[in-house]
Amino acid sequence: MYLYPDNLKAKATLWLWELRDIGIIGVGLLISVFALAQLRFLPPIVITALYAFLSIRFEDTSILDFIRYAFAYFIGRQQVYRWYECRHNET
């Protein structure tokens, strides 16, 4: 008997990252190491490390997702508030 997570509907993960994030981090590290070795240029490795930290997933939510949701709630999308005065018939 084999047990598959969520009937093969769960996203593929490796350690604390999704496989897509592992690929992005790997390519970023490769470019960062070349930039650091050839040009003595540090920002690419800092950006890659920051992305690696922000994309760590716990219980299907990453820090980056939380920041995106907070930005959308507070700044990105207009909040709609509706209120009305409830008038009762005075008899």
Side-chain angles (χ1 to χ4, degrees):
M1 175 183 281
Y2 298 99
L3 299 175
Y4 296 106
D6 297 330
N7 294 327
L8 294 177
K9 294 180 183 175
K11 291 186 177 183
T13 58
L14 183 65
W15 298 303
L16 297 174
W17 295 277
E18 290 181 355
L19 289 182
R20 176 184 58 97
D21 294 330
I22 292 284
I24 292 170
I25 293 167
V27 169
L29 279 175
L30 187 64
I31 292 170
S32 300
V33 167
F34 286 138
L36 187 62
Q38 298 296 321
L39 304 173
R40 304 277 188 225
F41 192 59
L42 194 62
I45 203 161
V46 171
I47 292 170
T48 303
L50 182 65
Y51 180 78
F53 174 73
L54 292 177
S55 64
I56 291 175
R57 292 202 168 269
F58 290 110
E59 299 176 5
D60 278 342
T61 303
S62 69
I63 299 169
L64 194 57
D65 291 338
F66 181 76
I67 291 171
R68 285 180 188 148
Y69 299 149
F71 179 81
Y73 182 78
F74 290 114
I75 298 170
R77 295 185 189 153
Q78 180 179 358
Q79 300 296 315
V80 177
Y81 299 102
R82 294 188 181 136
W83 60 86
Y84 56 92
E85 183 178 341
C86 183
R87 297 181 186 212
H88 297 285
N89 292 335
E90 294 181 23
T91 55

